[in-house]
Amino acid sequence: MGSDICVNALCVHDWKKGWPLRSGGFAQLCINCGSAYEMSVFCNNFHRQKMGWMECKFCNKPIHCGCIVSRSLFEYLDFDGIGCVSCVASQLRMMRNTENPNGSISSTKNNASDQHSALIDGTLSVDSVGEGKLMQLCRIVEASEPSRWNNSRRDSIISCSGQNNHEVKRSFREADTRFSNVFKPPVQSLVFSKFENSRSTWEIKNTHESTAQPSLNMYLGNPSGNNTIPPPSSGEIVDARPEGKASPPFHQGQRSRPILPKPLKIGMSMNPETDKGTISHARIARPPADGRGKSQLLPRYWPRITDQELKRLSGDLKSNVVPLFEKILSASDAGRIGRLVLPKACAEAYFPPISNSDGLPLRVQDVKGNEWTFQFRFWPNNNSRMYVLEGVTPCIQAMQLCAGDTVTFNRIDPGGKLVVGFRKASNSIDTQDASPSSLSNGISMKGTTNSGGTENLPLDSSYADLLQSIKGNGESHINGHPEHLHFGAGAVGFLTTENCEKTNKQSPQQPIPFSEKKRTHNIGPKSKRLRIDNEDAMELRLTWEEAQHLLRPPPSVQPSIVTIEDQVIEEYEEPPVFGKRTIFCACSSGGKEQWAQCDDCSKWRRLPVDALLPPKWTCFENGWDGSRSSCSVPEEMSSRELENLLKPSKDFKRRRTLENGKSIKEHEPSGLDALAIAAVLGENLTDPAESSAGATTKHPRHRPGCSCIVCIQPPSGKGRHKPTCTCNVCMTVKRRFKTLMLRKKKRQSEREADAAKEDNNHPRDESEADGASKSKDDTSHLENEGGRGQPEAGESSAGQIDLNSHPSRDDTQMDITGLSMSINHLEITNHQAKEYMTQNGLKSFNSEVHADQHSLLLTQSNGQGQNNLS
DNA sequence: GGGTTGCATGCTTGG
DNA sequence: CAAGCATGCAACCCT
């Protein structure tokens, strides 16, 4: 045994020296994945070459090494080569006939193992020492040759077993159940090597006899004996090495420890179905496949897969799915810490050995084909080790697992690829009642808080479901390559897209997988907090934005009008509905109209304001305007009108924002900062689209961060503010205006200085002649800074100050008129602002918005502000 | 302040 | 009673 890099698969694997080869080297077997290599020594250095083919030691028939991968028997045999199935079978038959012509197992005393068992003329005699072993022998023998062990014979054997024969009987029944669904693998050959620890030929023969002879039908169901239900050789009969109580050295050599569950406890009833031969459909906790198996694997970790499922998987997928172990996720496992505690025995049995606590990366694939890299490591813990997989959170979240679900670890052979599958907890009644696990642990573990307490967690998803799901879902999870068939044992994630909450909701009668005491807390919030990366967040945000435009009041539902602190609010009994996004605008007659774009021809059609469109809408559904109910009819608007219509829209803004490489966020400052920034940069605070869409005093589109006057009002704010009002709004407005005007003055001074310089550099007539264009340039400059030029003056015809006016617009106005900003402008503006608030209060804000918009439309229609529009 | 990491603690289980 | 394991927790790190 040594430690080396397994070329084939995962990472560092243990390997053990195999049988000598004709080449002079020796075969090396990777303990973990079972791959075979040819080792030779040159210049005191080991050279390794993967063995593509090996020879049958009997007939020299070539056997592809792929056939030996993970074969459970190879670990018992070495230095003796391998044998093909036919040769091994014939050899076993020969041995059987020689040793036991009557079909009985010869009474043999194995010195090495100190086992005492005898079966004479169909009667197995045991002494008191071997009684416990007898039960397993019975199981094994019966498993291998069920047909040859009828009840009478079985009872006969039991009758000779002396005391505690009740237990033996139960064991028989148990074995009857368990091995009725042992699964016959599609193996073409078997690998044999001698026992590493000098097992006798007798043992080997019995190994062959009990396992390979009848049909070689013990594969996953009869894994290598080191840690699973053993063949006679591996279990209590052959491997008789004394088992020390103390923990073995880490990753020591093969050790055969019985991991059969304890015999059925008194009072436990078998699932009646098991006796009817329908157990193949039951979810059985299968003894795990071969592994190093240094420690006993508790049945709770046995992979549970029905015979049928596994057969179908292995057969249909042309790949051997070897269930290794499974674990029910605890709250810690499924939590956000991202650490999955591995059962120690499983970790040591199936994962690469690690010597330092940092561990090593473990590449694992999930059932969807995603490849994950976990850090397999351990912590010192009570003079022992605690194995964990770190970084499992993304994987667990990808599989939408939560505490109570089951994660399965599997291996796909050949190749040894590690695959993680999962099974969701469900509300169906588990069929594992007859499983060894439940048989052994069902009572004692019920209601406990440890993982054992989750043993009775119903698990319903099946491999068959998985297979069906895979087939039904196309090839997306298969990728067309057998090596990419990442089917975890029990991996049925395709069926379980519902989140845990849903599962729990759907299964109120489901036994709580964890005791209320310790498991309920800490599970929900942690496991359900999904991480959303930036991209998703952006996607989500955009979706939200889109949703804002798609939301419509429920049709045919009259809202009830509620006035709260002078704010009129429409209340609907029904939730809003999604409708096609449209654009509202003010028509020339002063009313409002709605425009919608056909999803087929992209033409814009005029609609009534109250028209509610489905998310998908075409011209043919234009029942309001029969003359334009076909995509072939041209648009009603001219291209310019259309542009003006679309320009203020969010789409247009976003498109332009994206084109400018600016984030949307830059255009959505919040609160008073937005007011100030917009004022300075020239962005029009009042989005005409929004204004038109919601051109009511109800201001229907308040959003977080909305900087309108209404939104920044204190909760107790009234519509009108007195001149002496010192509320936050008024004070803020005053302060902001003062600040803005100071900035404005500074910028204007700079501009004047620049203009003066230009005047010195250019003839005066040219300057005068280009006065208008200069102003346009300035306006364009402002626009480029992020705002659209608005031709409206901040001062309305009524001599009032529009609070939405901003310096840029003042700039425009002043530049157009040729007036220069004077130092008194600030005072004038302040005065006007005060006067404005005094006379009109802030309540007339929206009317000013309308004036703004209307002015914009007029300006545009008159062509006066064309150059101001980008 | 929140997340990560390493270890400790205590409960549960199995021998 | 020892081992295993779920989880708590403090120190450390990162943003």
Side-chain angles (χ1 to χ4, degrees):
Chain A
M1 168 84 70
S3 182
D4 203 351
I5 304 294
C6 170
V7 180
N8 184 34
L10 299 171
C11 36
V12 180
H13 290 172
D14 278 352
W15 57 270
K16 69 177 181 179
K17 191 174 180 180
W19 56 91
L21 301 173
R22 291 180 179 178
S23 62
F26 60 90
Q28 172 201 351
L29 291 174
C30 174
I31 300 301
N32 194 48
C33 70
S35 297
Y37 299 93
E38 178 180 359
M39 296 294 293
S40 56
V41 181
F42 297 102
C43 307
N44 294 325
N45 292 324
F46 278 100
H47 294 263
R48 180 178 51 200
Q49 180 180 4
K50 188 168 182 177
M51 299 173 65
W53 295 86
M54 288 178 290
E55 290 179 348
C56 170
K57 67 177 181 178
F58 301 110
C59 65
N60 294 334
K61 177 182 174 181
I63 303 172
H64 195 265
C65 71
C67 299
I68 71 166
V69 171
S70 83
R71 292 296 171 264
S72 57
L73 291 177
F74 80 87
E75 288 187 348
Y76 297 103
L77 310 165
D78 62 7
F79 289 100
D80 199 19
I82 63 174
C84 63
V85 172
S86 57
C87 290
V88 170
S90 60
Q91 290 289 322
L92 292 177
R93 274 192 295 271
M94 187 173 62
M95 286 186 287
R96 178 190 299 271
N97 295 333
T98 301
E99 296 179 2
N100 184 20
N102 294 328
S104 303
I105 300 175
S106 300
S107 175
T108 307
K109 182 166 184 175
N110 178 13
N111 294 330
S113 62
D114 197 23
Q115 298 294 312
H116 306 276
S117 62
L119 183 63
I120 301 172
D121 292 333
T123 300
L124 185 64
S125 302
V126 295
D127 56 21
S128 59
V129 177
E131 182 177 301
K133 312 296 182 184
L134 169 65
M135 292 188 293
Q136 294 210 4
L137 173 64
C138 292
R139 297 188 190 108
I140 293 156
V141 172
E142 186 175 20
S144 61
E145 300 186 42
S147 61
R148 300 179 59 175
W149 291 80
N150 53 34
N151 291 338
S152 59
R153 171 168 293 187
R154 178 195 309 160
D155 292 340
S156 174
I157 295 174
I158 294 174
S159 66
C160 301
S161 63
Q163 56 184 350
N164 294 332
N165 58 6
H166 290 293
E167 200 170 51
V168 177
K169 282 184 179 179
R170 282 194 298 273
S171 298
F172 268 111
R173 295 192 191 100
E174 190 176 337
D176 208 6
T177 297
R178 183 179 306 110
F179 294 109
S180 62
N181 61 342
V182 281
F183 138 111
K184 182 178 180 179
V187 292
Q188 298 302 319
S189 64
L190 280 173
V191 177
F192 288 91
S193 60
K194 278 188 176 177
F195 288 96
E196 186 180 358
N197 49 0
S198 302
R199 292 179 177 126
S200 66
T201 303
W202 179 90
E203 296 163 349
I204 301 173
K205 288 176 181 177
N206 278 283
T207 301
H208 297 173
E209 181 162 349
S210 61
T211 60
Q213 164 63 19
S215 59
L216 295 173
N217 61 350
M218 296 185 66
Y219 178 50
L220 295 178
N222 178 24
S224 62
N226 52 0
N227 60 343
T228 60
I229 293 179
S233 59
S234 67
E236 309 308 298
I237 297 176
V238 174
D239 186 3
R241 286 176 299 173
E243 286 185 43
K245 177 86 175 176
S247 297
F250 187 63
H251 288 159
Q252 69 178 23
Q254 293 296 314
R255 189 184 66 172
S256 299
R257 293 181 59 181
I259 64 168
L260 280 172
K262 288 196 295 188
L264 181 63
K265 288 185 169 60
I266 302 298
M268 281 291 292
S269 62
M270 300 288 290
N271 185 342
E273 294 234 333
T274 59
D275 294 328
K276 298 175 183 176
T278 58
I279 191 63
S280 63
H281 300 285
R283 186 169 302 288
I284 295 298
R286 291 173 178 271
D290 58 292
R292 288 189 298 278
K294 310 304 180 301
S295 306
Q296 172 177 343
L297 297 187
L298 295 174
R300 78 175 70 144
Y301 303 122
W302 290 4
R304 303 180 181 204
I305 176 175
T306 66
D307 179 36
Q308 212 174 33
E309 294 162 353
L310 189 55
K311 196 178 294 183
R312 287 179 62 181
L313 270 183
S314 297
D316 295 355
L317 305 181
K318 299 180 178 62
S319 181
N320 286 334
V321 178
V322 183
L324 300 178
F325 65 93
E326 70 179 37
K327 190 200 175 194
I328 299 174
L329 290 179
S330 68
S332 307
D333 298 332
R336 295 175 60 244
I337 299 177
R339 295 191 297 207
L340 172 63
V341 177
L342 291 171
K344 184 185 176 188
C346 301
E348 295 182 351
Y350 300 116
F351 288 172
I354 49 180
S355 54
N356 58 347
S357 61
D358 289 340
L360 48 85
L362 204 61
R363 295 177 64 187
V364 179
Q365 286 178 319
D366 66 11
V367 295
K368 295 178 181 177
N370 303 320
E371 188 159 290
W372 310 89
T373 300
F374 303 143
Q375 188 72 15
F376 172 55
R377 56 178 311 187
F378 69 88
W379 307 323
N381 191 295
N382 292 337
N383 296 324
S384 179
R385 289 178 169 188
M386 187 170 176
Y387 291 91
V388 293
L389 278 182
E390 292 184 338
V392 301
T393 298
C395 180
I396 285 180
Q397 288 182 349
M399 294 189 288
Q400 296 184 331
L401 298 180
C402 60
D405 297 334
T406 302
V407 172
T408 61
F409 290 88
N410 319 273
R411 194 178 61 217
I412 287 186
D413 289 334
K417 189 179 290 291
L418 199 58
V419 178
V420 58
F422 62 93
R423 214 168 45 233
K424 301 281 282 190
S426 76
N427 57 352
S428 67
I429 297 175
D430 195 7
T431 56
Q432 63 182 348
D433 291 346
S435 70
S437 172
S438 59
L439 289 176
S440 62
N441 303 325
I443 291 179
S444 61
M445 292 182 178
K446 243 174 192 171
T448 60
T449 59
N450 206 342
S451 59
T454 65
E455 280 300 295
N456 299 292
L457 177 69
L459 306 168
D460 69 338
S461 302
S462 65
Y463 283 76
D465 295 336
L466 163 67
L467 189 61
Q468 188 62 36
S469 301
I470 293 168
K471 288 178 177 177
N473 286 281
E475 302 297 315
S476 60
H477 301 288
I478 299 179
N479 298 332
H481 302 290
E483 61 270 26
H484 291 152
L485 297 171
H486 313 302
F487 306 114
V492 287
F494 313 106
L495 296 179
T496 55
T497 53
E498 74 275 12
N499 56 30
C500 306
E501 189 178 13
K502 185 178 178 183
T503 302
N504 293 334
K505 284 179 180 176
Q506 288 174 338
S507 56
Q509 76 280 17
Q510 174 184 350
I512 300 175
F514 305 94
S515 71
E516 296 290 341
K517 177 183 173 184
K518 294 181 67 176
R519 301 299 176 83
T520 52
H521 73 283
N522 219 10
I523 294 177
K526 284 187 175 179
S527 59
K528 289 174 184 171
R529 273 178 60 179
L530 301 178
R531 284 181 179 171
I532 303 176
D533 56 30
N534 293 334
E535 232 172 311
D536 292 338
M538 177 63 72
E539 188 73 20
L540 203 60
R541 197 175 76 90
L542 294 176
T543 302
W544 177 83
E545 284 188 345
E546 294 295 332
Q548 298 302 305
H549 296 282
L550 297 177
L551 285 176
R552 296 286 183 272
S556 66
V557 174
Q558 292 299 322
S560 57
I561 307 299
V562 179
T563 303
I564 301 176
E565 294 183 347
D566 289 346
Q567 299 298 317
V568 180
I569 300 172
E570 293 178 347
E571 283 187 353
Y572 290 87
E573 295 294 330
E574 301 293 329
V577 298
F578 281 96
K580 180 179 176 62
R581 184 185 176 189
T582 58
I583 293 179
F584 293 86
C585 67
C587 61
S588 56
S589 62
K592 286 180 292 182
E593 57 189 18
Q594 184 181 191
W595 292 82
Q597 189 177 28
C598 172
D599 286 321
D600 281 349
C601 64
S602 301
K603 291 188 176 69
W604 288 88
R605 305 298 186 192
R606 187 203 307 268
L607 304 172
V609 177
D610 57 348
L612 177 64
L613 302 185
K616 191 82 175 178
W617 182 83
T618 61
C619 295
F620 297 100
E621 303 170 66
N622 185 5
W624 298 276
D625 187 357
S627 61
R628 289 182 172 82
S629 60
S630 170
C631 293
S632 58
V633 180
E635 284 179 320
E636 189 177 352
M637 287 185 295
S638 67
S639 58
R640 171 160 297 179
E641 290 171 332
L642 180 61
E643 185 183 356
N644 291 334
L645 174 70
L646 298 179
K647 194 165 291 179
S649 70
K650 280 286 182 182
D651 274 349
F652 188 85
K653 285 175 64 179
R654 184 187 306 154
R655 206 176 303 128
R656 203 177 65 171
T657 301
L658 292 177
E659 287 171 0
N660 295 338
K662 297 179 179 177
S663 68
I664 297 175
K665 192 174 182 178
E666 290 176 358
H667 293 263
E668 295 179 353
S670 61
L672 292 173
D673 287 338
L675 176 68
I677 293 172
V680 172
L681 298 182
E683 169 143 6
N684 186 6
L685 260 180
T686 59
D687 190 328
E690 292 188 348
S691 297
S692 61
T696 69
T697 57
K698 294 166 188 173
H699 196 78
R701 293 197 179 172
H702 294 295
R703 296 176 186 170
C706 178
S707 59
C708 74
I709 296 296
V710 175
C711 285
I712 65 175
Q713 275 188 334
S716 60
K718 299 292 182 180
R720 290 184 172 273
H721 295 242
K722 295 179 180 179
T724 58
C725 177
T726 57
C727 74
N728 288 335
V729 175
C730 294
M731 295 303 294
T732 301
V733 169
K734 292 173 186 175
R735 187 172 60 251
R736 284 295 185 188
F737 261 86
K738 197 171 183 178
T739 304
L740 295 177
M741 289 306 108
L742 285 173
R743 290 184 192 173
K744 177 63 194 169
K745 173 199 164 191
K746 184 179 179 181
R747 289 176 56 194
Q748 183 61 30
S749 300
E750 293 173 356
R751 200 170 295 124
E752 285 179 351
D754 292 341
K757 284 183 181 177
E758 287 183 5
D759 287 345
N760 295 333
N761 295 334
H762 300 285
R764 191 161 192 85
D765 55 350
E766 184 181 338
S767 171
E768 290 174 353
D770 294 343
S773 61
K774 180 172 177 255
S775 66
K776 284 184 289 186
D777 292 339
D778 286 343
T779 305
S780 301
H781 169 70
L782 291 174
E783 290 167 9
N784 291 336
E785 283 182 345
R788 284 186 299 278
Q790 298 292 343
E792 301 90 348
E795 192 171 351
S796 71
S797 58
Q800 297 171 346
I801 293 284
D802 179 7
L803 286 181
N804 293 303
S805 69
H806 48 76
S808 69
R809 296 212 301 268
D810 291 343
D811 269 352
T812 306
Q813 177 80 4
M814 288 181 289
D815 288 341
I816 291 175
T817 58
L819 297 176
S820 63
M821 184 72 177
S822 67
I823 190 66
N824 293 329
H825 188 86
L826 171 61
E827 298 173 0
I828 295 172
T829 307
N830 278 335
H831 172 73
Q832 290 169 334
K834 290 177 183 176
E835 185 177 309
Y836 171 85
M837 291 188 295
T838 300
Q839 296 178 357
N840 296 337
L842 300 175
K843 198 173 183 179
S844 60
F845 167 77
N846 280 317
S847 63
E848 296 300 326
V849 171
H850 286 291
D852 254 21
Q853 181 191 351
H854 192 62
S855 174
L856 167 64
L857 292 175
L858 288 175
T859 304
Q860 290 173 352
S861 63
N862 294 334
Q864 294 176 354
Q866 290 178 12
N867 292 330
N868 294 333
L869 300 174
S870 59

